[in-house]
């Protein structure tokens, strides 16, 4: 179905300072970017964040000039982070108290079969406006995800505090079976967004279903999720929305999601599911998900640290460099097709000004963390539809990934975890490079352009990856040979 855009074998090698210094030991550290038509890795959907729980209003309510600049910072692919996925929260709360996301169905229709009276405020906790700006920047992937069903559809009668969807296996309610009503409700949200110029491409009905919280939350295991998917999928089809992919289940950690994935697959839901989604709080990415579907890491952040903009404070949990490496692990070990941060913006008062945001919005101004630039290094160069290529023999101090974009450019991303600069040459045994661009992020630079040269033999060189930095390249190949 998804053929690679180009077949071939590409080699990238560590450059030696001078030919005299070449030793067999050094040539063994050659980086090989091997792109083999028979051995492709995952296709990339993109990189993103969320502005759920009214965080979107941090952007919406900035003075116009700052607001435009912040939107540009998030979505512009030549000067900003170039994010390509927005994850919206589907509101379940009766109103907008605190940071709640209000639902489009605040009143119970009385019974599951009664006509629901949807209420659309055209605001959606600020998220619609942000989504509309993203559309203007060419974002095409919108993941709408519900933290809970409205309270009257649940065993505990409220959208917070866990509880189950009435009618799910093992969960009976005197008010009846609300599964179909919940599916109809989710479809309604997709339709309201489409009417407002935003096409939801991915739809989720759970967030962290393995945990009950004081805010919107709903519990389900893999078997119950599979049961609901078997209702949601035909409901989307009936409404001519079969292009909308179901995403599940955003468990608190990678391991918790692996268990849910296993159970969903065993219950026969895999053919109806679009992508498997998981978070990395209760456990990080240490392997793949047990599915042949695409997998997204849909939420991560540094919840414990105090607000920090640092790139490299020696492995700090919120450091930009730490997150560049986490994204690398997701793309390689996790085989993920998308990597999403938690919230893009937050004010200083919320959660004691912790480090869960990329951008701190304080009254009329904002401050940007290096985590945003870690994402930018990937998101600006690895565009939706890119294929990840195999890396063989990566040097121990470098964490390198390579991709082929849909427009046939190559993206190469190199993190240098070492204490000294590492010269690299990226060579290509089949197709010479025609042009190349490179950018660096480190303590002092935010994806600043750095010089790189295309040698007469078609290799890309003249580049040294600074210590404790990340360098990304896009390489245009000589098209006459494609
Ligand atoms: C959406 O509602 C919030 C809260 O009332 C408000 O602050 C914000 O400005 C509204 N957004 C738009 C785009 O009108
Ligand atoms: C992105 O930024 C560039 C450079 O500042 C600018 O020329 C371009 O218009 C921006 N793109 C959009 C969609 O605004
Ligand atoms: C949304 O989808 C509709 C129907 O497929 C299409 O006509 C429209 O152009 C899409 N809008 C955007 C912004 O992609
Ligand atoms: C779905 O599309 C078909 C064919 O275009 C149309 O007849 C039908 O009314 C549509 N159904 C809905 C629910 O929009
Ligand atoms: C990686 O993900 C793709 C789908 O994107 C899947 O086809 C492939 O089997 C996965 N590989 C591994 C090793 O899990």
């Amino acid at each position: 179905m998804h053929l690679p855009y180009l077949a071939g074998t590409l080699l990238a090698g560590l450059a030696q300072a001078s030919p005299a210094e070449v030793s067999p030991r050094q040539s063994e550290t050659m980086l090989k970017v091997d792109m083999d038509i028979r051995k492709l890795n995952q296709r990339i959907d993109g990189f993103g964040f969320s502005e759920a729980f009214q965080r979107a209003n941090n952007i919406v309510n900035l003075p116009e000039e700052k607001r435009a600049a912040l939107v540009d910072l998030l979505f512009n692919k030549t000067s900003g982070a170039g994010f390509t996925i927005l994850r919206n929260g589907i509101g379940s709360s009766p109103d907008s108290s605190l940071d709640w996301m209000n639902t489009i169905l605040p009143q119970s229709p009385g019974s599951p079969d009664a006509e629901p009276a949807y209420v659309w405020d055209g605001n959606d906790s600020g998220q619609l406006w942000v989504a509309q700006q993203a559309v203007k920047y060419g974002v095409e992937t919108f993941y709408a995800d519900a933290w809970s069903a409205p309270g009257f559809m649940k065993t505990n009668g409220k959208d917070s505090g866990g509880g189950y969807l009435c009618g799910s296996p093992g969960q009976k309610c005197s008010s009846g079976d609300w599964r179909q009503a919940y599916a109809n409700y989710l479809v309604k949200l997709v339709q309201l967004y489409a009417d407002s110029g935003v096409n939801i491409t991915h739809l989720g009905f759970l967030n962290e279903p393995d945990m009950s919280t004081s805010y919107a939350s709903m519990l389900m295991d893999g078997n119950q999720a599979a049961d609901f998917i078997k209702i949601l999928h035909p409901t989307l089809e009936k409404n001519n929305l079969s292009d909308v992919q179901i995403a599940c289940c955003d468990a608190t950690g990678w391991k918790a999601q692996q268990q849910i994935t296993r159970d969903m697959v065993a219950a026969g839901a895999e053919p109806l599911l679009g992508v498997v989604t998981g978070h990395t709080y209760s456990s990080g990415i240490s392997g793949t998900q047990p599915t042949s579907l695409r997998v997204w890491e849909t939420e991560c952040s540094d919840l414990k640290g105090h607000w920090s903009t640092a790139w490299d404070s020696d492995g700090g949990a919120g450091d930009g460099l730490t997150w560049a490496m986490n994204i690398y692990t997701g793309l390689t070990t996790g085989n993920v097709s998308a990597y999403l941060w938690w919230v893009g913006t937050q004010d200083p008062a919320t959660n004691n000004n912790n480090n869960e945001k990329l951008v701190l919005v304080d009254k009329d101004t904002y401050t940007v963390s290096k985590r945003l630039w870690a994402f930018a290094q990937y998101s600006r160069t690895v565009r939706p539809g890119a294929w990840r290529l195999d890396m063989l023999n990566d040097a121990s101090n470098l964490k390198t990934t390579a991709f082929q974009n849909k427009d046939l450019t190559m993206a190469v991303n190199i993190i240098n975890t070492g204490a000294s600069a590492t010269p690299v040459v990226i060579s290509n045994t089949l197709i010479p490079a025609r042009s190349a661009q490179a950018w660096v992020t480190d303590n002092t630079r935010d994806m600043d352009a750095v010089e790189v040269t295309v040698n007469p033999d078609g290799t890309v060189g003249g580049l040294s990856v600074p210590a404790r930095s990340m360098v990304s390249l896009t390489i245009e190949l000589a098209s006459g040979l494609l």
Side-chain angles (χ1 to χ4, degrees):
M1 178 85 176
H2 302 297
L3 291 173
Y5 308 113
L6 163 71
T9 300
L10 297 156
L11 295 174
L14 287 178
Q16 280 75 38
S18 74
E21 285 170 26
V22 174
S23 68
R25 184 81 194 81
Q26 275 175 308
S27 55
E28 277 167 22
T29 62
M30 283 285 284
L31 299 180
K32 288 181 185 167
V33 184
D34 181 12
M35 185 173 58
D36 183 337
I37 190 165
R38 294 153 303 177
K39 198 182 165 213
L40 283 171
N41 293 303
Q42 76 273 30
R43 204 176 167 198
I44 301 300
D45 290 315
F47 301 86
F49 65 99
S50 182
E51 285 288 85
F53 288 93
Q54 300 188 32
R55 305 303 192 261
N57 288 327
N58 290 320
I59 307 176
V60 171
N61 295 330
L62 276 170
E64 171 51 29
E65 218 172 288
K66 288 277 183 190
R67 176 167 91 163
L70 180 47
V71 167
D72 201 66
L73 174 74
L74 293 166
F75 297 115
N76 194 308
K77 64 177 179 184
T78 53
S79 58
F83 280 117
T84 47
I85 300 179
L86 185 64
R87 174 172 176 247
N88 279 359
I90 299 176
S92 52
S93 300
D95 57 49
S96 299
S97 307
L98 306 170
D99 63 357
W100 297 355
M101 297 183 280
N102 63 296
T103 175
I104 57 168
L105 192 53
Q107 296 295 329
S108 168
S111 78
D113 297 329
E115 193 65 36
Y118 294 114
V119 182
W120 176 235
D121 62 9
N123 179 308
D124 201 29
S125 303
Q127 296 176 110
L128 177 63
W129 187 88
V130 172
Q132 288 169 332
Q133 310 316 302
V135 168
K136 290 184 196 166
Y137 277 87
V139 172
E140 290 177 342
T141 305
F142 292 92
Y143 176 26
D145 188 22
W147 264 242
S148 173
F152 58 81
M153 297 186 183
K154 295 169 64 188
T155 53
N156 64 337
K158 52 185 185 173
D159 78 315
S160 58
Y164 292 85
L165 181 64
C166 294
S168 283
Q171 303 297 331
K172 288 219 177 343
C173 298
S174 56
S175 62
D177 178 349
W178 289 87
R179 291 174 302 167
Q180 184 61 55
Y182 185 41
N184 296 345
Y185 160 92
L186 294 169
V187 162
K188 182 69 184 180
L189 193 280
V190 173
Q191 291 168 335
L192 289 167
Y193 261 75
D195 292 346
S196 306
V198 179
N199 292 335
I200 303 292
T201 53
H202 296 76
L203 181 62
F205 56 96
L206 293 172
N207 173 75
E208 303 187 345
D210 53 325
M211 187 169 79
S212 166
T213 62
S214 60
Y215 50 89
S217 47
M218 183 165 78
L219 301 172
M220 268 197 197
D221 61 23
N223 187 46
Q224 290 164 329
D227 168 79
F228 184 71
I229 289 166
K230 290 173 189 172
I231 294 169
L232 182 57
H233 191 270
T235 306
L236 284 164
E237 265 182 347
K238 253 179 253 153
N239 287 279
N240 292 342
L241 290 171
S242 42
D243 284 352
V244 175
Q245 295 189 38
I246 299 174
C248 200
C249 310
D250 287 80
T252 55
W254 210 243
K255 277 209 184 82
Q257 183 58 48
Q258 282 167 330
Q259 185 57 51
I260 293 176
T261 304
R262 224 170 272 126
D263 294 343
M264 279 197 300
V265 170
E270 201 176 25
L272 307 176
L273 195 52
V275 299
V276 166
T277 54
H279 300 178
T280 58
Y281 295 115
S282 56
S283 60
I285 295 179
S286 57
T288 57
Q289 289 289 331
T291 176
S292 57
L293 296 170
R294 283 192 211 176
V295 172
W296 289 9
E297 184 287 323
T298 44
E299 198 181 304
C300 61
S301 71
D302 171 26
L303 292 171
K304 291 189 185 126
H306 188 72
W307 167 249
S308 159
T309 60
W311 171 256
D312 179 24
S313 64
D314 288 324
D319 283 6
L321 182 58
T322 298
W323 284 97
M325 290 195 277
N326 288 342
I327 298 169
Y328 167 87
T329 300
L331 291 167
T332 53
T333 308
N335 191 37
V336 304
S337 291
Y339 201 99
L340 279 65
W341 181 259
W342 166 218
V343 284
T345 69
Q346 198 153 276
D347 61 72
T350 302
N351 297 340
N352 295 319
N353 202 13
N354 73 350
N355 221 15
E356 69 188 301
K357 51 203 173 279
L358 298 174
V359 176
L360 169 64
V361 177
D362 193 0
K363 300 191 184 73
D364 286 353
T365 190
Y366 63 86
T367 313
V368 183
S369 73
K370 290 283 191 178
R371 293 183 294 282
L372 178 129
W373 293 108
F375 272 91
Q377 289 278 149
Y378 286 105
S379 192
R380 261 164 65 172
T381 53
V382 184
R383 304 300 293 172
W387 285 100
R388 188 172 71 84
L389 311 175
D390 248 7
M391 294 295 306
L392 305 169
N393 305 332
D394 205 356
S396 63
N397 66 315
L398 301 183
K399 294 190 181 301
T400 308
T401 44
F403 302 83
Q404 185 193 359
N405 279 306
K406 219 155 62 169
D407 67 1
L408 302 186
T409 60
M410 309 289 310
V412 178
N413 304 86
I414 310 170
I415 301 166
N416 183 357
T417 61
S420 51
T422 303
V424 294
V425 61
I426 297 161
S427 62
N428 171 343
T429 55
L430 283 186
I431 307 162
R434 184 167 65 187
S435 67
Q437 288 177 281
W439 300 269
V440 66
T441 295
D442 60 11
N443 280 331
T444 56
R445 290 172 287 188
D446 298 333
M447 210 164 167
D448 289 5
V450 285
E451 212 174 311
V452 60
T453 53
V454 175
N455 300 318
D457 65 354
T459 61
V460 175
L463 178 69
S464 178
V465 183
R468 314 283 294 169
S469 80
M470 178 167 178
V471 168
S472 299
L473 299 98
T474 54
I475 301 169
E476 196 188 0
L477 304 175
S479 59
L481 291 165
L482 292 182

